[in-house]
C-alpha cells in the first residue's frame, strides 16, 4: 500500500528528487562520471523543481523535459520568474542530447559548472516558494 510519501502530487517529494539530482551531479563529478550525464542531472534537478512549484500551485504537470514550457506555465502560477530561473532554459538541451554520444558537442568543466549553477538557482527558488506555500512538516 502506498504511503503519503509516495504521493505524486507532493511538492516536497519532487523537491527531494530535485536535490538528489544535484547531489548526484556533485558526487559524480568527483568520481569521473561523464560531464554529459552530470549536465543531464542538472537539467533533471531544474525540471523536477519547476514541476514541484506547479504542484504546490495546484496546476497540472505536463510530461515534458522542456524547461521553457514549464516556465511558461509557471507564469500563470507565480507570475514572472527571476532572470536566473528563466536562464535555466539553457538546460533543456541536456535532457536528451547529453545522454547520447552522437548528439552535440563535447562538454567541459565550465559547461558543467554553469549547468550546475543554473540548476541550483532553480532548486533554491522553488524551495522558497514551496516552503512558503505549505505548512511546516
Amino acid at each position: 500500500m502506498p504511503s503519503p510519501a509516495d504521493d505524486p502530487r507532493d511538492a516536497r517529494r519532487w523537491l527531494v528528487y530535485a536535490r538528489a539530482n544535484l547531489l548526484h551531479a556533485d558526487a559524480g563529478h568527483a568520481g569521473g562520471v561523464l560531464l554529459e550525464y552530470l549536465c543531464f542531472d542538472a537539467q533533471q534537478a531544474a525540471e523536477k523543481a519547476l514541476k514541484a512549484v506547479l504542484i504546490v500551485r495546484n496546476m497540472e504537470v505536463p510530461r515534458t523535459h522542456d524547461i521553457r514550457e514549464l516556465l511558461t506555465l509557471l507564469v500563470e502560477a507565480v507570475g514572472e520568474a527571476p532572470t536566473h530561473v528563466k536562464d535555466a532554459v539553457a538546460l533543456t538541451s541536456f535532457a536528451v542530447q547529453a545522454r547520447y554520444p552522437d548528439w552535440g558537442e563535447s562538454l567541459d568543466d565550465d559547461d558543467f559548472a554553469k549547468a550546475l549553477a543554473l540548476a541550483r538557482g532553480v532548486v533554491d527558488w522553488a524551495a522558497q516558494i514551496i516552503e512558503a506555500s505549505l505548512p511546516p512538516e
Side-chain angles (χ1 to χ4, degrees), residues 25-127:
D26 269 340
H29 191 240
V33 175
L34 290 172
L35 292 174
E36 288 78 4
Y37 284 179
L38 303 179
C39 288
F40 171 71
D41 271 319
Q43 183 280 335
Q44 286 289 287
E47 176 185 326
K48 290 170 187 168
L50 294 174
K51 288 178 177 181
V53 174
L54 290 174
I55 288 167
V56 82
R57 295 302 171 111
N58 295 311
M59 296 186 70
E60 288 300 313
V61 177
R63 291 188 181 262
T64 184
H65 300 298
D66 188 337
I67 302 293
R68 184 179 313 281
E69 181 179 342
L70 296 172
L71 287 169
T72 299
L73 292 171
L74 281 170
V75 170
E76 285 181 51
V78 297
E80 194 66 27
T83 300
H84 75 278
V85 173
K86 291 190 286 189
D87 288 346
V89 165
L91 297 172
T92 298
S93 65
F94 299 130
V96 177
Q97 292 177 336
R99 296 185 291 165
Y100 302 100
D102 59 344
W103 284 25
E105 296 178 24
S106 294
L107 302 176
D108 60 25
D109 283 338
D110 189 47
D111 296 320
F112 168 66
K114 288 176 185 174
L116 196 59
L118 284 170
R120 274 197 183 107
V122 172
V123 171
D124 290 346
W125 174 78

